[in-house]
Amino acid sequence: MEPLQQDDPRRIGAYTTLARLRESASAVHYLASGAASGSDPDSPADSGSDSRSGSGDTAVVVSSARPELAAVPAFRRRFAAEARTAERLAGGWVPEPLAMATDGQELWTASAYVPALTLREAIALAGPLPERTVRILGAGLAETLSRVHATGTVLHGLAPDTVLLTADGPRLAAYGALGAAAVAQARPGGQLSVQLGYLTPEQATGAEPGPASDIFVLGLLLAYAATGTAPLADAAGIAHGEPELGAVPDELRPLTARCLSKSPEDRPTAGTVAADLALEGAAALARGGWLPQPLSAALSAQAAQADALRSGGAGATGGTQHDPLGSGGPENSGTVPTASLLPAQGRTSPAPGTVAGPFVADDAPPSGPVNGNAPAYGAAGRDAHPHGNSAGHPTTTDTTASAHTASGPAAPGQAHPTGAARAPFPAQGRNALPAAPAAGHGFGGAAGGVTDPATLVVRRAAGPPSVPSAPPSLPGRVPTVLPPSRRGLLVAVAAGVGGLVVGGGVYAVADGDGKAAPAPQPPAPRRTRMAGLAPEPAWRYEHPEEPAGATVWRDRVLLLTDGKQATGVDLRTGRRLWAMPEAASGSRAVPVDDRLCLVHAGDELLWIAAQDGKVAHKVAERTFAEPGESLAVEGVIGADGTSVWLTGHVSRTVERKVKKRKKKVTVREAYVIAYDAAARKQLWRARVPEGKAPHRPRYELVAARADSILVRQDGRSLTPAQSKRAKGGSVLLGFDRATGKALKSVALAGVGPTAAVAADTGGKLFGAAGGELHGYDSGNGKRLWRVPAAKTPGEKGVFAYGTATVRGPALYAANRYQEVRAVDVATGRALWSRSTETPAWREIPQTALSLSGRTVFAGDAVALTAFAARDGRRLWKFQEAGTRDAENPQAAPRYVPLAGGEDRIVVRRGRTFYSLPVD
């Protein structure tokens, strides 16, 4: 709810407008009041209006069509048809129209006002809804769909912004594609283009949508309400992929999965869904309350504000208030969210620090405006950058929007956009909702030729339908929008109203002659990040304790292991998917295939489904042992594909002569074990030195090549005799990858036993030798080239290099002097050298490369610095405000770049993880 704008009408029919409730692509919805009997004879809308109302003053919601759309004949026909549908469905969970004007210059409908939140607002305030709330919500919607489908028609009206949550149950606020549109645009020649924010499998393949299409969207809404995220990533996933339902409550998962069946014939009917969710009916199940406390409190506050507006009391307005959405939700704010803190979608807020009217919070995080079909990116939660959007892009105007709004109506004197972009909610925070998808995408996926790799986690667009904004998994990069395919977007199916073509996301409406015309997509303008400005995190996740291992699985789940549990974190949203104490481990999880990961936990190997944490297989350590021995696995030292290498020690009893007498003694031996994680079988084991007491073999995997592997013993576990033989250098042990046969060891002179060593996929090794970086032939250990030590005027000591990151013909390594260097792997020629410009401490920055190979990262205790891989140009520095220990920065945890995706890097800092959009 927000104040009226300068251009808003003060009277519509018999009603006096009081405030804006929300906006949609085709209409503005006002809170209004007035004498319900009769209408205003002076109103131009009154000619041709069909007014039905009771007596007495009442609060109403007036939905007024945008003037630029109301002038289009095809729009007028569709508006009238959907108004008649609302009248026909009135009762139950559909509010009865009190009045409507469908023939005059202005088009509007009025219905009784009931305090309500959209489903999107509810998720932003309270996070995923409880199972009972989801049941009532789904049952109420299914009951309404059952009435619609009984006439053989398709509703096309379900979306997170058209489903309302009221105190006694859900309400539906749209009765066709026009009301649920994400974008509605008037075209030259009297044409109209209407885009929905979702796609169904039948629409993705060019088939005609039917009643089962509504059931599919209902399934999307059930999963969204239960988890706060979308179950399908993109158009390809909608057409062919399996929904991600691991976080949906067990009792709701089977029904939700049936609703999301690819084949319409396999989906249940609306009546079946309603009965399965609430056999006694949604209304009966909702008696005594059905909403979480934060939502009930918000409805009460909204009702009080509406009463104050009607009476003209002081309570209708207020001073500056803090927005709970921008600070992680009501739990963090310490205050009850009121309706004034739920801005209508699409509003434009004043510049930071100012308040335009009593409804606008002064601390609202910024968001870049939306232009045409370009995605709108919401601020990334409470830490939003004051000068840009969540991707680090500068806003294109000097105004900012609230935490969950995009650009809306233009300022006074400017034209309203015909395609009002629904606003994304913050992608970060306790109960944050990922930014929503571009129109025409199935809850955020690319439809029919739209390429969208930039989701809350790359290629995982997961927003709810009907919102043309950023994909949820990563509000960092503006996706390239390609020309839509006619099969994917313009499926010519009559919708019962002349001129409307129903498609998988886009509706092309013809002129008055009924001739269908193409609805061309305007190109999405690409915004660029302000030079030097770091991207805002798509999300921030804080683990209960510092994990021992962190692994990115298939660009979808962040797998964390520690001494208490294993945890899966959704890479799209940063939300915890599952936690399993049984899988507590001191080793990192290893991806196995498109479903499973391997965790060494206790005395077992566990194969865990990465998306829901369920154990698929178990193998006990003792099965690795041969007869007469016991074996204990120490941990995972590395993996390549489905091959995993572990270390373990074997104990067995043997007879030996001691002072000419035979005695039974226990001997211990250390091994490197090769294991096929897909086939779940041991490939071989090869004996290696134990090292010093407590004789626990500690090794690292240096290289995994097609025919061999190289391992190195941890220098801290070397016995004095081993150190003497190595002569202060490193010795790498080689094994045949297929058989485990020992190969010739490789000695790297000058590379200390604890110095950094890396390898490429060919025949080269790279090691830190003193303050230099050397390249070696891995066959004979011969040095091929050297990179000289850093010039350190005024500084003493050795400024060693860390482990190099190798990709193709170049490697990237940083030294303790805070230099990052790019080197040609063949010749050692320096390609470029740059400084992170942080103090030369004892810590060596850790390097990583983006998946595209365009960005190099160097992380230390101060910041994460990004460089252009091609020329070393420094791009930005990321540092979370308020976390640096000013007295002793060296003691602070370092920023460690991990693997991410094409458009993202996952960054670890102690027990905190961030998802940063890159490239």
Side-chain angles (χ1 to χ4, degrees):
M1 191 181 297
E2 65 175 3
L4 297 174
Q5 298 182 2
Q6 178 176 321
D7 295 340
D8 286 334
R10 269 40 184 182
R11 289 206 41 105
I12 299 176
Y15 303 103
T16 300
T17 56
L18 302 175
R20 281 175 166 240
L21 286 173
R22 55 188 169 272
E23 280 188 285
S24 67
S26 59
V28 180
H29 308 275
Y30 298 96
L31 174 67
S33 67
S37 57
S39 57
D40 185 353
D42 297 327
S43 171
D46 217 42
S47 59
S49 70
D50 178 11
S51 180
R52 293 165 299 284
S53 59
S55 59
D57 184 79
T58 184
V60 300
V61 176
V62 179
S63 299
S64 178
R66 297 183 180 277
E68 64 273 23
L69 297 177
V72 179
F75 178 94
R76 299 180 66 85
R77 288 194 298 273
R78 187 66 192 177
F79 185 93
E82 294 189 12
R84 290 192 296 271
T85 299
E87 185 177 23
R88 185 173 66 252
L89 294 176
W93 304 115
V94 177
E96 180 181 3
L98 299 178
M100 65 176 64
T102 59
D103 298 325
Q105 180 180 353
E106 295 179 354
L107 305 179
W108 56 269
T109 63
S111 59
Y113 166 73
V114 177
L117 302 173
T118 68
L119 177 58
R120 188 186 306 283
E121 290 170 343
I123 295 293
L125 277 175
L129 302 179
E131 178 182 339
R132 177 171 174 270
T133 303
V134 176
R135 280 187 174 278
I136 296 170
L137 172 68
L141 296 176
E143 289 169 8
T144 301
L145 288 178
S146 182
R147 295 168 56 201
V148 174
H149 295 170
T151 65
T153 58
V154 186
L155 182 65
H156 288 304
L158 295 180
D161 294 315
T162 66
V163 173
L164 304 180
L165 278 62
T166 70
D168 62 348
R171 297 285 193 280
L172 190 58
Y175 313 101
L178 197 62
V183 175
Q185 294 178 313
R187 300 288 189 185
Q191 301 170 12
L192 178 70
S193 173
V194 177
Q195 299 180 18
L196 291 181
Y198 60 83
L199 193 71
T200 62
E202 47 270 37
Q203 291 169 304
T205 57
E208 179 178 355
S213 299
D214 284 337
I215 300 300
F216 185 90
V217 181
L218 177 61
L220 294 176
L221 286 176
L222 288 174
Y224 171 64
T227 67
T229 60
L232 289 163
D234 50 22
I238 288 170
H240 307 293
E242 292 300 320
E244 299 175 13
L245 302 177
V248 175
D250 292 344
E251 295 296 317
L252 298 176
R253 193 178 304 134
L255 178 63
T256 305
R258 289 167 57 204
C259 292
L260 295 175
S261 297
K262 294 294 181 270
S263 172
E265 292 77 18
D266 294 336
R267 297 173 204 154
T269 64
T272 299
V273 174
D276 283 357
L277 291 173
L279 187 60
E280 67 274 47
L285 190 59
R287 290 193 187 107
W290 71 294
L291 295 175
Q293 191 278 333
L295 302 185
S296 298
L299 293 178
S300 298
Q302 187 187 113
Q305 187 180 29
D307 288 341
L309 283 168
R310 291 176 61 205
S311 63
T317 63
T320 300
Q321 302 185 57
H322 292 285
D323 188 346
L325 297 179
S327 57
E331 301 172 36
N332 293 345
S333 67
T335 61
V336 175
T338 66
S340 65
L341 302 181
L342 295 172
Q345 288 131 358
R347 85 177 179 196
T348 301
S349 300
T354 66
V355 176
F359 297 88
V360 183
D362 69 346
D363 62 343
S367 139
V370 175
N371 190 356
N373 284 337
Y377 293 96
R382 70 191 72 175
D383 297 318
H385 197 284
H387 302 298
N389 59 27
S390 62
H393 304 310
T395 54
T396 56
T397 69
D398 60 355
T399 62
T400 60
S402 71
H404 61 300
T405 60
S407 75
Q414 297 178 335
H416 290 273
T418 55
R422 310 270 179 116
F425 289 106
Q428 176 189 341
R430 183 185 301 268
N431 293 320
L433 168 68
H441 299 28
F443 271 60
V450 180
T451 301
D452 190 356
T455 53
L456 265 185
V457 194
V458 182
R459 292 173 303 188
R460 302 283 185 270
S466 75
V467 183
S469 55
S473 140
L474 187 72
R477 172 179 172 183
V478 179
T480 301
V481 179
L482 302 178
S485 78
R486 294 189 62 81
R487 178 168 184 171
L489 294 180
L490 298 177
V491 185
V493 180
V497 178
L500 186 68
V501 177
V502 182
V506 173
Y507 286 58
V509 181
D511 57 19
D513 297 330
K515 297 178 181 178
Q521 296 277 345
R526 182 180 180 87
R527 294 174 294 185
T528 57
R529 181 182 298 128
M530 184 182 298
L533 183 64
E536 285 291 335
W539 49 257
R540 178 184 188 276
Y541 169 77
E542 188 133 350
H543 200 56
E545 63 179 68
E546 188 162 346
T551 303
V552 174
W553 176 84
R554 296 296 187 270
D555 194 21
R556 298 167 77 178
V557 180
L558 175 64
L559 302 170
L560 305 176
T561 50
D562 58 54
K564 294 182 179 179
Q565 62 188 18
T567 304
V569 178
D570 191 333
L571 276 183
R572 297 174 304 171
T573 65
R575 184 175 57 83
R576 191 175 75 174
L577 296 173
W578 51 265
M580 188 169 63
E582 181 184 359
S585 176
S587 298
R588 68 181 182 89
V590 177
V592 175
D593 54 28
D594 288 336
R595 178 171 170 259
L596 302 175
C597 62
L598 177 68
V599 177
H600 172 236
D603 59 357
E604 294 179 312
L605 295 182
L606 303 179
W607 280 255
I608 299 174
Q611 293 181 282
D612 60 18
K614 293 184 177 179
V615 176
H617 311 288
K618 295 182 181 181
V619 172
E621 286 182 359
R622 64 178 179 272
T623 61
F624 293 110
E626 295 179 356
E629 66 182 23
S630 62
L631 184 147
V633 173
E634 290 296 329
V636 176
I637 64 170
D640 182 41
T642 61
S643 297
V644 181
W645 292 277
L646 312 99
T647 55
H649 63 262
V650 168
S651 299
R652 64 172 175 266
T653 302
V654 300
E655 281 192 351
R656 288 186 178 173
K657 283 187 178 182
V658 180
K659 295 181 181 181
K660 299 182 180 181
R661 294 177 127 184
K662 289 184 178 181
K663 294 185 69 173
K664 290 185 177 181
V665 296
T666 299
V667 297
R668 290 171 54 96
E669 296 170 344
Y671 288 88
V672 169
I673 303 168
Y675 196 84
D676 187 327
R680 300 197 298 280
K681 68 177 183 179
Q682 179 177 316
L683 301 175
W684 50 260
R685 70 182 193 184
R687 190 173 176 183
V688 294
E690 283 185 273
K692 64 184 180 183
H695 307 293
R696 302 180 66 178
R698 299 186 182 278
Y699 285 79
E700 64 173 321
L701 181 69
V702 174
R705 293 168 176 154
D707 58 353
S708 64
I709 67 168
L710 289 172
V711 301
R712 181 176 69 160
Q713 187 176 351
D714 187 333
R716 292 165 295 185
S717 71
L718 295 174
T719 64
Q722 286 178 309
S723 297
K724 184 177 181 180
R725 286 194 299 270
K727 299 179 180 180
S730 286
V731 177
L732 307 185
L733 305 179
F735 300 94
D736 184 283
R737 180 161 177 163
T739 65
K741 178 183 176 181
L743 305 176
K744 182 181 177 181
S745 60
V746 181
L748 302 181
V751 178
T754 60
V757 178
D760 64 6
T761 56
K764 296 184 180 64
L765 296 168
F766 314 100
E772 299 181 346
L773 182 65
H774 292 181
Y776 298 88
D777 185 317
S778 61
N780 54 27
K782 180 182 177 181
R783 192 180 75 184
L784 302 175
W785 48 256
R786 57 183 286 269
V787 175
K791 296 179 180 180
T792 58
E795 297 284 351
K796 297 181 180 180
V798 175
F799 293 88
Y801 281 88
T803 304
T805 297
V806 186
R807 180 81 65 84
L811 69 79
Y812 307 90
N815 58 35
R816 194 170 64 85
Y817 197 61
Q818 305 302 306
E819 285 181 338
V820 179
R821 293 194 175 187
V823 178
D824 185 303
V825 298
T827 65
R829 179 175 62 91
L831 302 176
W832 52 261
S833 176
R834 298 288 186 273
S835 173
T836 64
E837 299 184 2
T838 54
W841 293 336
R842 59 181 175 82
E843 294 290 343
I844 302 172
Q846 184 164 330
T847 58
L849 197 63
S850 66
L851 187 62
S852 69
R854 292 193 292 266
T855 308
V856 180
F857 304 96
D860 53 38
V862 175
L864 179 76
T865 308
F867 301 89
R870 186 172 60 118
D871 56 13
R873 176 171 45 91
R874 195 176 76 180
L875 303 176
W876 45 261
K877 296 177 79 71
F878 170 76
Q879 179 186 45
E880 187 180 34
T883 60
R884 176 178 168 181
D885 182 349
E887 294 183 0
N888 184 14
Q890 295 187 56
R894 65 194 302 186
Y895 292 87
V896 179
L898 306 175
E902 291 180 357
D903 294 358
R904 175 197 56 249
I905 189 80
V906 176
V907 181
R908 173 181 177 177
R909 189 166 194 254
R911 59 191 182 94
T912 304
F913 293 81
Y914 312 87
S915 176
L916 295 180
V918 298
D919 292 343

